[in-house]
Amino acid sequence: MHDIRAIRENPQAFDAALARRGEAPMSSEILALDEARRARILAAETAQADQNRAAKEIGAAKAAGNDAEFNRLRDEVSAKKSEVARMQTEAKELDQKLADLLMTLPNRLAEDVPDGADESDNVEIRRHGTPRSFGFTAREHHEIEGVKPGMDFETAAKLSGSRFVVMSGGVARIHRALAQFMLDTHIEEHGLSETWTPVLVREEMMYGTGQLPKFGEDSYKTTNGWWLVPTAEVTLTNIVNDMVIDEGYLPRRYVAHTQCFRSEAGSAGRDTAGMLRQHQFEKVEMVSITRPEDSMEEHARMTRCAEAILEKLDLPYRTVVLCSGDIGFGMLKTHDIEVWLPGQNTYREISSVSVAGDFQARRMNARYKPADGGKPQFVHTLNGSGLAVGRTLIAVLENGQTADGSVDLPTALHPYLRGKTRLSADGTLV
């Protein structure tokens, strides 16, 4: 959501910000709606004043026995009353039309976001670890001998269709251990507050974080109007929906492990093998709520939190800044962290850490009260994967694979697996 006052003050800057995202100029249409809305409000206020004046004069005309003037004033009051109602209705309709239009427009971009057309124009800012050299051809996760018994796509397809998986045995246990390890690290070392939230939300919560109205096809809606969350960003961020909180309450740093649901609309034919792109998956999500002046520093801190998980798991990765043509609709700036997958011989996204500025806060009407007693201001919101559990499982399996089909597991996971260190070629933990 955008500040209409800022658009009034500098429409050229607003259109320039849209142009960076490849969007057409919109300030003229927005300001025309805004002007019409304000004109109706002024007309309603003027008519209301005339109505009040005439109402006061009615009594004097009646007391003076001036029937003609009494009747004229009574008719004027009635006419003005109708005019007020009509102008208020038109102003409300125009206000909703303006709000609906602003809801469909993407966030501005931070000045240091690189311009570009697509992911090929993203800019790498650092790289950690060296991809391992195998003495054999590295396989994708679902082709590793020890993984096959615990990763069943045929049964999942029978139960639910494509892009689902049934995990069992050692694979399921490693998956669960990863989520627990991530949570513990973020809570004990990174100072995040563990939070458990629903996966079904009201429609207005999806509007608050920007999944609606433009991207409804990417998520699932139940028959009674609830939406299945595509990420815990929706619930964690909306904790402050329609609130005015004290400045001393900030920053708030949440972490939650949830099921996530995405329709993967538009991804037909992409990553169909294995469990890289699923309709149902698990993610450990980080969300921060901050003061405006702290959000960029918080963005860097959250990025390090996500990178630390990969470093503890000894997984090579690189971090990139998304360019203007690849960044998400509601984000001011985004870091993507890409883990090395030897089975694909490439880096693949495992986390996006983003700062939204006040974009989501305006949609949610989430504000804070400055400690000095000043006027309430909109908070800034940030979110990031810390990490996608399924993709981390893929990375662990592929990077730890051996020639005989077993998998050596990261040292950080050993305590979560009761001392087990390997997934054997027959799929058991040893």
Side-chain angles (χ1 to χ4, degrees):
M1 199 73 168
H2 296 276
D3 183 356
I4 187 63
R5 290 173 298 182
I7 301 174
R8 290 182 201 134
E9 292 169 2
N10 198 337
Q12 293 81 12
F14 181 74
D15 285 339
L18 289 178
R20 288 195 67 197
R21 284 183 172 269
E23 299 279 345
M26 293 297 298
S27 64
S28 294
E29 183 177 350
I30 291 168
L31 293 178
L33 277 172
D34 181 48
E35 185 176 348
R37 176 186 66 90
R38 296 167 76 188
R40 298 304 191 283
I41 292 172
L42 179 60
E45 292 173 347
T46 301
Q48 182 71 65
D50 290 341
Q51 177 187 338
N52 294 341
R53 173 193 51 76
K56 291 179 180 178
E57 293 175 359
I58 282 178
K62 186 174 184 180
N66 190 342
D67 292 342
E69 182 65 5
F70 174 80
N71 290 331
R72 186 191 70 78
L73 290 168
R74 184 180 60 183
D75 291 343
E76 182 180 354
V77 168
S78 178
K80 291 298 180 182
K81 185 176 182 180
S82 297
E83 184 179 352
V84 169
R86 186 177 77 258
M87 290 296 104
Q88 287 177 337
T89 297
E90 291 180 8
K92 186 175 181 180
E93 291 172 352
L94 288 166
D95 188 62
Q96 187 61 54
K97 190 173 182 180
L98 177 60
D100 290 345
L101 176 58
L102 291 174
M103 279 280 190
T104 66
L105 300 178
N107 198 357
R108 69 190 191 282
L109 298 175
E111 291 184 3
D112 60 347
V113 168
D115 290 324
D118 52 38
E119 62 182 15
S120 64
D121 294 316
N122 294 340
V123 177
E124 182 176 319
I125 54 176
R126 56 181 164 268
R127 189 175 291 219
H128 178 87
T130 302
R132 171 186 160 199
S133 296
F134 293 86
F136 57 92
T137 301
R139 290 151 289 185
E140 292 196 56
H141 59 286
H142 55 92
E143 298 173 334
I144 299 170
E145 200 63 32
V147 174
K148 290 179 180 179
M151 200 172 283
D152 187 346
F153 298 98
E154 290 185 5
T155 299
K158 177 182 71 174
L159 295 172
S160 305
S162 62
R163 296 190 189 274
F164 290 92
V165 65
V166 171
M167 288 184 286
S168 61
V171 171
R173 191 169 176 187
I174 297 167
H175 185 265
R176 174 165 56 89
L178 281 166
Q180 188 68 54
F181 160 71
M182 292 174 192
L183 281 174
D184 286 351
T185 302
H186 289 314
I187 295 160
E188 296 170 6
E189 299 183 23
H190 302 154
L192 279 64
S193 175
E194 183 172 7
T195 312
W196 190 95
T197 64
V199 295
L200 288 166
V201 295
R202 295 172 172 168
E203 189 160 280
E204 54 264 37
M205 301 300 112
M206 296 282 280
Y207 274 93
T209 44
Q211 281 76 23
L212 295 177
K214 289 195 72 172
F215 306 104
E217 66 175 7
D218 295 333
S219 297
Y220 294 106
K221 186 178 183 179
T222 66
T223 54
N224 64 351
W226 281 329
W227 288 80
L228 286 164
V229 295
T231 163
E233 170 199 346
V234 177
T235 47
L236 294 175
T237 309
N238 275 290
I239 287 174
V240 295
N241 188 304
D242 202 28
M243 290 178 64
V244 179
I245 56 184
D246 290 332
E247 183 176 355
Y249 185 75
L250 301 174
R252 302 308 299 170
R253 293 167 175 155
Y254 303 108
V255 62
H257 169 221
T258 65
Q259 297 282 345
C260 304
F261 305 87
R262 294 183 184 173
S263 68
E264 292 296 342
S267 66
R270 295 176 58 198
D271 302 319
T272 54
M275 58 176 292
L276 195 65
R277 193 178 295 275
Q278 300 274 282
H279 291 307
Q280 177 182 345
F281 57 96
E282 293 181 25
K283 189 145 67 83
V284 172
E285 183 76 0
M286 306 178 292
V287 162
S288 290
I289 314 294
T290 74
R291 302 182 308 168
E293 58 265 36
D294 299 331
S295 61
M296 284 304 178
E297 182 178 346
E298 184 70 7
H299 184 225
R301 190 199 66 80
M302 290 177 69
T303 301
R304 283 298 304 143
C305 289
E307 291 171 340
I309 298 295
L310 293 172
E311 291 171 16
K312 287 176 178 292
L313 293 172
D314 199 25
L315 296 172
Y317 69 85
R318 68 177 197 145
T319 302
V320 302
V321 180
L322 297 195
C323 72
S324 59
D326 196 33
I327 194 169
F329 170 84
M331 299 304 130
L332 189 71
K333 184 177 181 180
T334 296
H335 290 155
D336 263 14
I337 303 171
E338 300 174 350
V339 69
W340 176 254
L341 296 184
Q344 294 190 8
N345 195 39
T346 191
Y347 289 95
R348 295 298 300 265
E349 178 200 336
I350 198 168
S351 172
S352 281
V353 184
S354 303
V355 53
D358 63 3
F359 186 81
Q360 293 176 328
R362 289 182 180 278
R363 299 167 79 99
M364 299 185 300
N365 192 30
R367 296 170 293 164
Y368 74 97
K369 187 186 304 179
D372 62 9
K375 183 180 178 181
Q377 300 180 39
F378 288 105
V379 299
H380 276 198
T381 61
L382 304 94
N383 64 81
S385 308
L387 304 162
V389 182
R391 291 197 173 196
T392 308
L393 173 67
I394 291 170
V396 164
L397 296 173
E398 291 193 10
N399 281 277
Q401 64 182 295
T402 64
D404 67 2
S406 62
V407 177
D408 292 326
L409 300 172
T411 302
L413 290 184
H414 296 175
Y416 294 90
L417 297 169
R418 301 283 183 91
K420 303 293 193 295
T421 63
R422 297 176 67 243
L423 180 69
S424 69
D426 66 5
T428 58
L429 285 171
V430 294

